[in-house]
Amino acid sequence: MSPWSHPTTIPPGPMTRDLAPRPGVTLVEGGADVAVYAGHADAVELCLFDAGDKAGTSERRIPLLERAHGWWFAFVPGITAGQRYNFRAHGAWSPDQGLRHNPAKLLLDPYAKAIEGKVRWGAEVYGHVVDVRWHGDGELISDLDSRGHMPRGVVVDDRFDWEGDVAPNRSRSESVIYEAHVRNQTALHPGVPPELRGTYAGLAHPASVAHLTSLGVTAVELLPVHAFTHEPHLVRRGLTNHWGYNTLGFFAPHGAYAAAKDPQGAVDELKGMVKLLHGEGIEVILDVVYNHTAEQGRTGAMLSWRGLDQRAYYRLDERGRDTDVTGCGH
């Protein structure tokens, strides 16, 4: 029997708050409020890591002892901007009931505002046992720890000087919407400095803005700019997902599109792009697809939502199987 099959339950602490704080990790005086939804879990741990620790050997686990309405939360002293983190969730493994808790798997915060690193595809990121081609029926729990194969959430400082920015709020009848891919839009633009081509900063560069305004564009609709990863069937073929419709985190910018090399810098660069485009009268529309994630179907990987509370985050039938109405897995 797997040592993870029956984890030790961490009892909730005293009910010090009636309602959970904001989802995710929010900096407050002296530390941070941490909250994550895992309504069917028996226990949830916050896992902290040192910057640069890809192997995960610096992991420190902190149980979230407050609980209300399915949310697990706590005030954690000493957390500051730049802290790397994930979660682990303990609970029942009962696939037929839609319950797939596996504390051997690190889980991304669904509300992370920055994500660092990539998914290192392998059997380790699956909650169930898979073969060398990462295929399995999804029934047998895996005891492989995924900490050396998972990206990290990163705590960010939300402060940003918007300089009074407001959206142009043009009427639809006056709108000229230009659909664009951040990487493609300026990758070959001779007027954009090479180091900014294909980035958020490049899209807001004066040469890029001049091109848009010369066309009469009033809004850019950007293909996904939130964090995404590559589908396993592409990875096995040596290919990558170019378009971004394979979400890893809905609230974190895709780091590869930033000229900045650090997670906080990527967040600020995206905000700066929006502010500069607004200053030129150009609205920004984000293309976001909610009908599937990078976890794909229930025989897919366990990266975030599935390990926290599959029954809450995904639409399932009475046997715990995905109700797939889009052909994307769930």
mmCIF file of all heavy atoms in Angstrom, residues 36-44 67 69-72 87-92 94 97-102 107-108 110 295 302-316 322:
data_model
loop_
_atom_site.group_PDB
_atom_site.id
_atom_site.type_symbol
_atom_site.label_atom_id
_atom_site.label_comp_id
_atom_site.label_asym_id
_atom_site.label_seq_id
_atom_site.Cartn_x
_atom_site.Cartn_y
_atom_site.Cartn_z
ATOM 1 N N VAL A 36 -6.790 29.022 0.129
ATOM 2 C CA VAL A 36 -6.977 28.184 -1.044
ATOM 3 C C VAL A 36 -8.233 27.353 -0.841
ATOM 4 O O VAL A 36 -8.529 26.913 0.277
ATOM 5 C CB VAL A 36 -5.747 27.274 -1.285
ATOM 6 C CG1 VAL A 36 -5.534 26.298 -0.138
ATOM 7 C CG2 VAL A 36 -5.862 26.536 -2.616
ATOM 8 N N TYR A 37 -8.992 27.142 -1.915
ATOM 9 C CA TYR A 37 -10.212 26.345 -1.814
ATOM 10 C C TYR A 37 -9.892 24.876 -2.067
ATOM 11 O O TYR A 37 -9.333 24.513 -3.096
ATOM 12 C CB TYR A 37 -11.272 26.810 -2.816
ATOM 13 C CG TYR A 37 -12.594 26.110 -2.572
ATOM 14 C CD1 TYR A 37 -13.504 26.634 -1.659
ATOM 15 C CD2 TYR A 37 -12.903 24.909 -3.212
ATOM 16 C CE1 TYR A 37 -14.695 25.984 -1.390
ATOM 17 C CE2 TYR A 37 -14.086 24.249 -2.941
ATOM 18 C CZ TYR A 37 -14.986 24.791 -2.031
ATOM 19 O OH TYR A 37 -16.158 24.121 -1.757
ATOM 20 N N ALA A 38 -10.283 24.039 -1.098
ATOM 21 C CA ALA A 38 -10.141 22.587 -1.217
ATOM 22 C C ALA A 38 -11.215 21.966 -0.333
ATOM 23 O O ALA A 38 -10.948 21.409 0.724
ATOM 24 C CB ALA A 38 -8.749 22.135 -0.793
ATOM 25 N N GLY A 39 -12.468 22.096 -0.785
ATOM 26 C CA GLY A 39 -13.616 21.784 0.040
ATOM 27 C C GLY A 39 -13.760 20.337 0.458
ATOM 28 O O GLY A 39 -14.425 20.049 1.461
ATOM 29 N N HIS A 40 -13.150 19.404 -0.280
ATOM 30 C CA HIS A 40 -13.270 17.987 0.055
ATOM 31 C C HIS A 40 -11.990 17.428 0.676
ATOM 32 O O HIS A 40 -11.906 16.235 0.949
ATOM 33 C CB HIS A 40 -13.628 17.170 -1.189
ATOM 34 C CG HIS A 40 -15.003 17.466 -1.715
ATOM 35 N ND1 HIS A 40 -15.243 18.459 -2.635
ATOM 36 C CD2 HIS A 40 -16.202 16.904 -1.436
ATOM 37 C CE1 HIS A 40 -16.537 18.496 -2.916
ATOM 38 N NE2 HIS A 40 -17.146 17.565 -2.207
ATOM 39 N N ALA A 41 -10.991 18.278 0.892
ATOM 40 C CA ALA A 41 -9.719 17.817 1.465
ATOM 41 C C ALA A 41 -9.832 17.670 2.980
ATOM 42 O O ALA A 41 -10.671 18.287 3.630
ATOM 43 C CB ALA A 41 -8.605 18.800 1.121
ATOM 44 N N ASP A 42 -8.962 16.821 3.530
ATOM 45 C CA ASP A 42 -8.861 16.649 4.980
ATOM 46 C C ASP A 42 -7.822 17.579 5.596
ATOM 47 O O ASP A 42 -7.874 17.861 6.796
ATOM 48 C CB ASP A 42 -8.483 15.204 5.325
ATOM 49 C CG ASP A 42 -9.562 14.209 4.934
ATOM 50 O OD1 ASP A 42 -10.753 14.590 4.936
ATOM 51 O OD2 ASP A 42 -9.222 13.049 4.613
ATOM 52 N N ALA A 43 -6.876 18.026 4.800
ATOM 53 C CA ALA A 43 -5.828 18.923 5.283
ATOM 54 C C ALA A 43 -5.115 19.528 4.085
ATOM 55 O O ALA A 43 -5.044 18.909 3.017
ATOM 56 C CB ALA A 43 -4.822 18.179 6.162
ATOM 57 N N VAL A 44 -4.611 20.738 4.260
ATOM 58 C CA VAL A 44 -3.856 21.420 3.208
ATOM 59 C C VAL A 44 -2.611 22.029 3.835
ATOM 60 O O VAL A 44 -2.678 22.624 4.917
ATOM 61 C CB VAL A 44 -4.692 22.514 2.518
ATOM 62 C CG1 VAL A 44 -3.851 23.253 1.477
ATOM 63 C CG2 VAL A 44 -5.936 21.923 1.870
ATOM 64 N N ARG A 67 -10.284 27.062 8.718
ATOM 65 C CA ARG A 67 -11.117 26.516 7.653
ATOM 66 C C ARG A 67 -12.521 27.085 7.748
ATOM 67 O O ARG A 67 -13.097 27.175 8.836
ATOM 68 C CB ARG A 67 -11.179 24.994 7.748
ATOM 69 C CG ARG A 67 -11.905 24.337 6.581
ATOM 70 C CD ARG A 67 -11.907 22.826 6.727
ATOM 71 N NE ARG A 67 -12.504 22.188 5.561
ATOM 72 C CZ ARG A 67 -12.706 20.872 5.443
ATOM 73 N NH1 ARG A 67 -12.340 20.067 6.427
ATOM 74 N NH2 ARG A 67 -13.259 20.381 4.359
ATOM 75 N N HIS A 69 -16.141 27.253 5.007
ATOM 76 C CA HIS A 69 -16.843 27.174 3.726
ATOM 77 C C HIS A 69 -15.983 26.559 2.618
ATOM 78 O O HIS A 69 -16.043 26.972 1.458
ATOM 79 C CB HIS A 69 -17.333 28.557 3.294
ATOM 80 C CG HIS A 69 -18.060 29.299 4.371
ATOM 81 N ND1 HIS A 69 -19.280 28.882 4.879
ATOM 82 C CD2 HIS A 69 -17.722 30.417 5.076
ATOM 83 C CE1 HIS A 69 -19.664 29.717 5.829
ATOM 84 N NE2 HIS A 69 -18.739 30.654 5.971
ATOM 85 N N GLY A 70 -15.174 25.587 2.957
ATOM 86 C CA GLY A 70 -14.341 24.903 1.975
ATOM 87 C C GLY A 70 -12.977 25.528 1.766
ATOM 88 O O GLY A 70 -12.132 24.953 1.080
ATOM 89 N N TRP A 71 -12.759 26.715 2.344
ATOM 90 C CA TRP A 71 -11.475 27.401 2.215
ATOM 91 C C TRP A 71 -10.552 27.018 3.363
ATOM 92 O O TRP A 71 -10.981 26.931 4.510
ATOM 93 C CB TRP A 71 -11.673 28.916 2.219
ATOM 94 C CG TRP A 71 -12.363 29.423 1.005
ATOM 95 C CD1 TRP A 71 -13.704 29.564 0.807
ATOM 96 C CD2 TRP A 71 -11.740 29.843 -0.218
ATOM 97 N NE1 TRP A 71 -13.961 30.046 -0.453
ATOM 98 C CE2 TRP A 71 -12.772 30.218 -1.096
ATOM 99 C CE3 TRP A 71 -10.409 29.941 -0.634
ATOM 100 C CZ2 TRP A 71 -12.523 30.694 -2.378
ATOM 101 C CZ3 TRP A 71 -10.162 30.414 -1.914
ATOM 102 C CH2 TRP A 71 -11.204 30.782 -2.772
ATOM 103 N N TRP A 72 -9.285 26.796 3.048
ATOM 104 C CA TRP A 72 -8.237 26.583 4.052
ATOM 105 C C TRP A 72 -7.364 27.822 4.042
ATOM 106 O O TRP A 72 -6.940 28.288 2.972
ATOM 107 C CB TRP A 72 -7.414 25.349 3.704
ATOM 108 C CG TRP A 72 -8.202 24.070 3.753
ATOM 109 C CD1 TRP A 72 -9.027 23.574 2.783
ATOM 110 C CD2 TRP A 72 -8.232 23.124 4.826
ATOM 111 N NE1 TRP A 72 -9.563 22.376 3.178
ATOM 112 C CE2 TRP A 72 -9.103 22.066 4.430
ATOM 113 C CE3 TRP A 72 -7.611 23.050 6.075
ATOM 114 C CZ2 TRP A 72 -9.364 20.972 5.235
ATOM 115 C CZ3 TRP A 72 -7.870 21.966 6.879
ATOM 116 C CH2 TRP A 72 -8.732 20.939 6.470
ATOM 117 N N PHE A 87 1.249 24.177 -2.839
ATOM 118 C CA PHE A 87 0.418 23.538 -1.823
ATOM 119 C C PHE A 87 0.527 22.019 -1.954
ATOM 120 O O PHE A 87 0.925 21.490 -3.001
ATOM 121 C CB PHE A 87 -1.058 23.925 -1.985
ATOM 122 C CG PHE A 87 -1.349 25.374 -1.720
ATOM 123 C CD1 PHE A 87 -1.705 26.229 -2.758
ATOM 124 C CD2 PHE A 87 -1.288 25.889 -0.438
ATOM 125 C CE1 PHE A 87 -1.992 27.564 -2.523
ATOM 126 C CE2 PHE A 87 -1.561 27.217 -0.189
ATOM 127 C CZ PHE A 87 -1.914 28.058 -1.225
ATOM 128 N N ARG A 88 0.165 21.315 -0.875
ATOM 129 C CA ARG A 88 -0.099 19.879 -0.896
ATOM 130 C C ARG A 88 -1.448 19.671 -0.216
ATOM 131 O O ARG A 88 -1.747 20.311 0.798
ATOM 132 C CB ARG A 88 0.990 19.087 -0.173
ATOM 133 C CG ARG A 88 2.364 19.116 -0.850
ATOM 134 C CD ARG A 88 3.347 18.196 -0.128
ATOM 135 N NE ARG A 88 4.703 18.356 -0.612
ATOM 136 C CZ ARG A 88 5.257 17.603 -1.578
ATOM 137 N NH1 ARG A 88 4.544 16.638 -2.151
ATOM 138 N NH2 ARG A 88 6.513 17.800 -1.948
ATOM 139 N N ALA A 89 -2.268 18.771 -0.772
ATOM 140 C CA ALA A 89 -3.592 18.508 -0.218
ATOM 141 C C ALA A 89 -3.711 17.042 0.181
ATOM 142 O O ALA A 89 -3.360 16.145 -0.598
ATOM 143 C CB ALA A 89 -4.676 18.868 -1.233
ATOM 144 N N HIS A 90 -4.186 16.808 1.403
ATOM 145 C CA HIS A 90 -4.433 15.467 1.914
ATOM 146 C C HIS A 90 -5.925 15.182 1.856
ATOM 147 O O HIS A 90 -6.747 16.076 2.090
ATOM 148 C CB HIS A 90 -3.960 15.348 3.360
ATOM 149 C CG HIS A 90 -2.502 15.615 3.559
ATOM 150 N ND1 HIS A 90 -1.593 14.624 3.797
ATOM 151 C CD2 HIS A 90 -1.793 16.777 3.555
ATOM 152 C CE1 HIS A 90 -0.384 15.151 3.944
ATOM 153 N NE2 HIS A 90 -0.479 16.463 3.796
ATOM 154 N N GLY A 91 -6.274 13.934 1.605
ATOM 155 C CA GLY A 91 -7.685 13.573 1.604
ATOM 156 C C GLY A 91 -7.908 12.238 0.926
ATOM 157 O O GLY A 91 -6.957 11.488 0.653
ATOM 158 N N ALA A 92 -9.154 11.961 0.635
ATOM 159 C CA ALA A 92 -9.516 10.661 0.075
ATOM 160 C C ALA A 92 -9.047 10.520 -1.368
ATOM 161 O O ALA A 92 -9.026 11.484 -2.132
ATOM 162 C CB ALA A 92 -11.030 10.475 0.147
ATOM 163 N N SER A 94 -10.510 8.500 -4.199
ATOM 164 C CA SER A 94 -11.669 7.714 -4.624
ATOM 165 C C SER A 94 -12.117 8.222 -5.985
ATOM 166 O O SER A 94 -13.066 9.015 -6.092
ATOM 167 C CB SER A 94 -12.801 7.833 -3.599
ATOM 168 O OG SER A 94 -13.910 7.047 -3.972
ATOM 169 N N GLN A 97 -15.673 8.666 -7.101
ATOM 170 C CA GLN A 97 -16.423 9.739 -6.466
ATOM 171 C C GLN A 97 -15.865 11.118 -6.820
ATOM 172 O O GLN A 97 -16.302 12.122 -6.267
ATOM 173 C CB GLN A 97 -16.398 9.547 -4.947
ATOM 174 C CG GLN A 97 -17.071 8.269 -4.476
ATOM 175 C CD GLN A 97 -17.000 8.118 -2.960
ATOM 176 O OE1 GLN A 97 -16.955 9.104 -2.227
ATOM 177 N NE2 GLN A 97 -16.979 6.888 -2.490
ATOM 178 N N GLY A 98 -14.899 11.131 -7.720
ATOM 179 C CA GLY A 98 -14.307 12.394 -8.136
ATOM 180 C C GLY A 98 -13.308 12.952 -7.157
ATOM 181 O O GLY A 98 -12.936 14.128 -7.250
ATOM 182 N N LEU A 99 -12.837 12.127 -6.218
ATOM 183 C CA LEU A 99 -11.875 12.576 -5.212
ATOM 184 C C LEU A 99 -10.495 12.030 -5.548
ATOM 185 O O LEU A 99 -10.296 10.815 -5.602
ATOM 186 C CB LEU A 99 -12.309 12.099 -3.817
ATOM 187 C CG LEU A 99 -13.696 12.572 -3.373
ATOM 188 C CD1 LEU A 99 -14.082 11.920 -2.058
ATOM 189 C CD2 LEU A 99 -13.751 14.094 -3.262
ATOM 190 N N ARG A 100 -9.531 12.925 -5.757
ATOM 191 C CA ARG A 100 -8.214 12.509 -6.199
ATOM 192 C C ARG A 100 -7.124 13.270 -5.442
ATOM 193 O O ARG A 100 -6.232 13.867 -6.025
ATOM 194 C CB ARG A 100 -8.065 12.730 -7.709
ATOM 195 C CG ARG A 100 -9.159 12.092 -8.553
ATOM 196 C CD ARG A 100 -8.937 12.306 -10.036
ATOM 197 N NE ARG A 100 -7.833 11.513 -10.535
ATOM 198 C CZ ARG A 100 -7.940 10.258 -10.957
ATOM 199 N NH1 ARG A 100 -9.101 9.642 -10.909
ATOM 200 N NH2 ARG A 100 -6.893 9.616 -11.412
ATOM 201 N N HIS A 101 -7.186 13.233 -4.131
ATOM 202 C CA HIS A 101 -6.168 13.908 -3.322
ATOM 203 C C HIS A 101 -4.914 13.046 -3.257
ATOM 204 O O HIS A 101 -4.993 11.841 -3.043
ATOM 205 C CB HIS A 101 -6.700 14.166 -1.915
ATOM 206 C CG HIS A 101 -7.923 15.018 -1.891
ATOM 207 N ND1 HIS A 101 -9.198 14.495 -1.701
ATOM 208 C CD2 HIS A 101 -8.080 16.354 -2.047
ATOM 209 C CE1 HIS A 101 -10.072 15.474 -1.732
ATOM 210 N NE2 HIS A 101 -9.424 16.619 -1.943
ATOM 211 N N ASN A 102 -3.775 13.681 -3.436
ATOM 212 C CA ASN A 102 -2.502 12.958 -3.401
ATOM 213 C C ASN A 102 -1.417 13.913 -2.900
ATOM 214 O O ASN A 102 -0.890 14.726 -3.665
ATOM 215 C CB ASN A 102 -2.142 12.427 -4.789
ATOM 216 C CG ASN A 102 -0.901 11.562 -4.771
ATOM 217 O OD1 ASN A 102 -0.108 11.616 -3.838
ATOM 218 N ND2 ASN A 102 -0.704 10.765 -5.812
ATOM 219 N N LEU A 107 1.133 21.330 -5.773
ATOM 220 C CA LEU A 107 0.038 21.939 -6.518
ATOM 221 C C LEU A 107 0.217 23.444 -6.596
ATOM 222 O O LEU A 107 0.534 24.103 -5.596
ATOM 223 C CB LEU A 107 -1.292 21.617 -5.830
ATOM 224 C CG LEU A 107 -1.571 20.131 -5.582
ATOM 225 C CD1 LEU A 107 -2.812 19.966 -4.711
ATOM 226 C CD2 LEU A 107 -1.715 19.381 -6.892
ATOM 227 N N LEU A 108 0.024 23.992 -7.783
ATOM 228 C CA LEU A 108 0.072 25.435 -7.959
ATOM 229 C C LEU A 108 -1.156 26.086 -7.348
ATOM 230 O O LEU A 108 -2.259 25.519 -7.367
ATOM 231 C CB LEU A 108 0.140 25.787 -9.446
ATOM 232 C CG LEU A 108 1.492 25.654 -10.130
ATOM 233 C CD1 LEU A 108 1.322 25.739 -11.637
ATOM 234 C CD2 LEU A 108 2.458 26.725 -9.641
ATOM 235 N N PRO A 110 -4.223 28.202 -7.565
ATOM 236 C CA PRO A 110 -5.055 28.674 -8.686
ATOM 237 C C PRO A 110 -5.098 30.189 -8.810
ATOM 238 O O PRO A 110 -5.428 30.714 -9.869
ATOM 239 C CB PRO A 110 -6.439 28.117 -8.342
ATOM 240 C CG PRO A 110 -6.187 26.949 -7.455
ATOM 241 C CD PRO A 110 -4.978 27.337 -6.647
ATOM 242 N N GLU A 295 -4.296 20.539 -17.090
ATOM 243 C CA GLU A 295 -4.444 19.203 -16.510
ATOM 244 C C GLU A 295 -5.201 18.266 -17.443
ATOM 245 O O GLU A 295 -5.134 17.045 -17.293
ATOM 246 C CB GLU A 295 -5.172 19.298 -15.159
ATOM 247 C CG GLU A 295 -4.339 19.988 -14.091
ATOM 248 C CD GLU A 295 -5.028 20.051 -12.754
ATOM 249 O OE1 GLU A 295 -6.263 20.301 -12.722
ATOM 250 O OE2 GLU A 295 -4.357 19.866 -11.727
ATOM 251 N N MET A 302 -1.619 16.126 -12.577
ATOM 252 C CA MET A 302 -2.127 16.769 -11.369
ATOM 253 C C MET A 302 -1.202 17.937 -11.072
ATOM 254 O O MET A 302 -0.119 17.773 -10.512
ATOM 255 C CB MET A 302 -2.160 15.780 -10.204
ATOM 256 C CG MET A 302 -2.732 16.366 -8.917
ATOM 257 S SD MET A 302 -2.899 15.137 -7.594
ATOM 258 C CE MET A 302 -4.337 14.225 -8.179
ATOM 259 N N LEU A 303 -1.642 19.132 -11.465
ATOM 260 C CA LEU A 303 -0.807 20.326 -11.372
ATOM 261 C C LEU A 303 -1.368 21.368 -10.419
ATOM 262 O O LEU A 303 -0.616 22.170 -9.877
ATOM 263 C CB LEU A 303 -0.651 20.960 -12.760
ATOM 264 C CG LEU A 303 -0.191 20.034 -13.886
ATOM 265 C CD1 LEU A 303 -0.253 20.758 -15.231
ATOM 266 C CD2 LEU A 303 1.207 19.505 -13.613
ATOM 267 N N SER A 304 -2.694 21.367 -10.209
ATOM 268 C CA SER A 304 -3.311 22.403 -9.382
ATOM 269 C C SER A 304 -4.713 22.002 -8.964
ATOM 270 O O SER A 304 -4.915 21.352 -7.949
ATOM 271 C CB SER A 304 -3.348 23.724 -10.161
ATOM 272 O OG SER A 304 -3.972 24.751 -9.421
ATOM 273 N N TRP A 305 -5.693 22.384 -9.784
ATOM 274 C CA TRP A 305 -7.103 22.260 -9.440
ATOM 275 C C TRP A 305 -7.512 20.821 -9.121
ATOM 276 O O TRP A 305 -8.249 20.584 -8.161
ATOM 277 C CB TRP A 305 -7.948 22.784 -10.591
ATOM 278 C CG TRP A 305 -7.582 24.149 -11.070
ATOM 279 C CD1 TRP A 305 -8.063 25.345 -10.621
ATOM 280 C CD2 TRP A 305 -6.642 24.476 -12.110
ATOM 281 N NE1 TRP A 305 -7.498 26.379 -11.307
ATOM 282 C CE2 TRP A 305 -6.626 25.893 -12.229
ATOM 283 C CE3 TRP A 305 -5.840 23.709 -12.958
ATOM 284 C CZ2 TRP A 305 -5.818 26.551 -13.155
ATOM 285 C CZ3 TRP A 305 -5.037 24.357 -13.873
ATOM 286 C CH2 TRP A 305 -5.021 25.769 -13.969
ATOM 287 N N ARG A 306 -7.051 19.870 -9.913
ATOM 288 C CA ARG A 306 -7.457 18.473 -9.718
ATOM 289 C C ARG A 306 -7.030 17.942 -8.352
ATOM 290 O O ARG A 306 -7.773 17.223 -7.690
ATOM 291 C CB ARG A 306 -6.867 17.589 -10.829
ATOM 292 C CG ARG A 306 -7.133 16.090 -10.615
ATOM 293 C CD ARG A 306 -6.847 15.264 -11.852
ATOM 294 N NE ARG A 306 -7.788 15.599 -12.897
ATOM 295 C CZ ARG A 306 -7.457 16.115 -14.079
ATOM 296 N NH1 ARG A 306 -6.184 16.336 -14.373
ATOM 297 N NH2 ARG A 306 -8.375 16.406 -14.959
ATOM 298 N N GLY A 307 -5.834 18.297 -7.914
ATOM 299 C CA GLY A 307 -5.349 17.802 -6.644
ATOM 300 C C GLY A 307 -5.962 18.507 -5.456
ATOM 301 O O GLY A 307 -6.023 17.937 -4.354
ATOM 302 N N LEU A 308 -6.409 19.748 -5.643
ATOM 303 C CA LEU A 308 -7.035 20.486 -4.547
ATOM 304 C C LEU A 308 -8.473 20.042 -4.337
ATOM 305 O O LEU A 308 -8.882 19.743 -3.208
ATOM 306 C CB LEU A 308 -6.986 21.992 -4.829
ATOM 307 C CG LEU A 308 -5.606 22.630 -4.736
ATOM 308 C CD1 LEU A 308 -5.635 24.030 -5.344
ATOM 309 C CD2 LEU A 308 -5.138 22.689 -3.286
ATOM 310 N N ASP A 309 -9.248 19.998 -5.404
ATOM 311 C CA ASP A 309 -10.659 19.619 -5.273
ATOM 312 C C ASP A 309 -11.250 19.409 -6.664
ATOM 313 O O ASP A 309 -11.879 20.297 -7.224
ATOM 314 C CB ASP A 309 -11.440 20.695 -4.525
ATOM 315 C CG ASP A 309 -12.810 20.218 -4.067
ATOM 316 O OD1 ASP A 309 -13.304 19.222 -4.638
ATOM 317 O OD2 ASP A 309 -13.375 20.821 -3.148
ATOM 318 N N GLN A 310 -11.037 18.226 -7.216
ATOM 319 C CA GLN A 310 -11.515 17.956 -8.571
ATOM 320 C C GLN A 310 -13.024 18.143 -8.677
ATOM 321 O O GLN A 310 -13.523 18.658 -9.680
ATOM 322 C CB GLN A 310 -11.141 16.531 -9.004
ATOM 323 C CG GLN A 310 -11.610 16.217 -10.423
ATOM 324 C CD GLN A 310 -11.220 14.850 -10.903
ATOM 325 O OE1 GLN A 310 -10.508 14.720 -11.894
ATOM 326 N NE2 GLN A 310 -11.680 13.819 -10.213
ATOM 327 N N ARG A 311 -13.761 17.757 -7.639
ATOM 328 C CA ARG A 311 -15.223 17.846 -7.701
ATOM 329 C C ARG A 311 -15.711 19.283 -7.741
ATOM 330 O O ARG A 311 -16.787 19.568 -8.265
ATOM 331 C CB ARG A 311 -15.849 17.106 -6.514
ATOM 332 C CG ARG A 311 -15.801 15.608 -6.660
ATOM 333 C CD ARG A 311 -16.309 14.864 -5.433
ATOM 334 N NE ARG A 311 -17.680 15.221 -5.090
ATOM 335 C CZ ARG A 311 -18.395 14.589 -4.167
ATOM 336 N NH1 ARG A 311 -17.849 13.565 -3.488
ATOM 337 N NH2 ARG A 311 -19.621 14.954 -3.899
ATOM 338 N N ALA A 312 -14.949 20.197 -7.197
ATOM 339 C CA ALA A 312 -15.354 21.602 -7.194
ATOM 340 C C ALA A 312 -14.927 22.323 -8.462
ATOM 341 O O ALA A 312 -15.669 23.144 -8.995
ATOM 342 C CB ALA A 312 -14.775 22.313 -5.970
ATOM 343 N N TYR A 313 -13.727 22.031 -8.959
ATOM 344 C CA TYR A 313 -13.175 22.799 -10.071
ATOM 345 C C TYR A 313 -13.574 22.263 -11.446
ATOM 346 O O TYR A 313 -13.492 23.005 -12.431
ATOM 347 C CB TYR A 313 -11.646 22.844 -9.968
ATOM 348 C CG TYR A 313 -11.129 23.714 -8.847
ATOM 349 C CD1 TYR A 313 -10.573 23.159 -7.699
ATOM 350 C CD2 TYR A 313 -11.200 25.101 -8.930
ATOM 351 C CE1 TYR A 313 -10.089 23.958 -6.672
ATOM 352 C CE2 TYR A 313 -10.728 25.910 -7.910
ATOM 353 C CZ TYR A 313 -10.171 25.329 -6.782
ATOM 354 O OH TYR A 313 -9.701 26.131 -5.767
ATOM 355 N N TYR A 314 -13.989 21.008 -11.523
ATOM 356 C CA TYR A 314 -14.329 20.420 -12.821
ATOM 357 C C TYR A 314 -15.744 19.843 -12.821
ATOM 358 O O TYR A 314 -16.267 19.446 -11.777
ATOM 359 C CB TYR A 314 -13.331 19.310 -13.173
ATOM 360 C CG TYR A 314 -11.931 19.804 -13.435
ATOM 361 C CD1 TYR A 314 -10.860 19.374 -12.662
ATOM 362 C CD2 TYR A 314 -11.673 20.720 -14.447
ATOM 363 C CE1 TYR A 314 -9.575 19.824 -12.883
ATOM 364 C CE2 TYR A 314 -10.390 21.178 -14.697
ATOM 365 C CZ TYR A 314 -9.347 20.732 -13.909
ATOM 366 O OH TYR A 314 -8.078 21.191 -14.137
ATOM 367 N N ARG A 315 -16.329 19.788 -13.991
ATOM 368 C CA ARG A 315 -17.663 19.206 -14.145
ATOM 369 C C ARG A 315 -17.519 17.700 -14.355
ATOM 370 O O ARG A 315 -16.890 17.258 -15.325
ATOM 371 C CB ARG A 315 -18.382 19.834 -15.342
ATOM 372 C CG ARG A 315 -19.771 19.260 -15.589
ATOM 373 C CD ARG A 315 -20.396 19.853 -16.835
ATOM 374 N NE ARG A 315 -20.682 21.271 -16.661
ATOM 375 C CZ ARG A 315 -21.183 22.041 -17.624
ATOM 376 N NH1 ARG A 315 -21.403 21.533 -18.830
ATOM 377 N NH2 ARG A 315 -21.417 23.309 -17.404
ATOM 378 N N LEU A 316 -18.093 16.925 -13.440
ATOM 379 C CA LEU A 316 -17.975 15.476 -13.468
ATOM 380 C C LEU A 316 -19.351 14.824 -13.533
ATOM 381 O O LEU A 316 -20.354 15.419 -13.119
ATOM 382 C CB LEU A 316 -17.241 14.972 -12.204
ATOM 383 C CG LEU A 316 -15.886 15.593 -11.883
ATOM 384 C CD1 LEU A 316 -15.380 15.057 -10.550
ATOM 385 C CD2 LEU A 316 -14.880 15.323 -12.991
ATOM 386 N N ASP A 322 -15.017 12.964 -16.392
ATOM 387 C CA ASP A 322 -15.189 14.299 -16.941
ATOM 388 C C ASP A 322 -16.421 14.370 -17.837
ATOM 389 O O ASP A 322 -16.666 13.473 -18.650
ATOM 390 C CB ASP A 322 -13.963 14.688 -17.773
ATOM 391 C CG ASP A 322 -12.679 14.637 -16.946
ATOM 392 O OD1 ASP A 322 -12.557 15.453 -16.040
ATOM 393 O OD2 ASP A 322 -11.833 13.776 -17.247
#
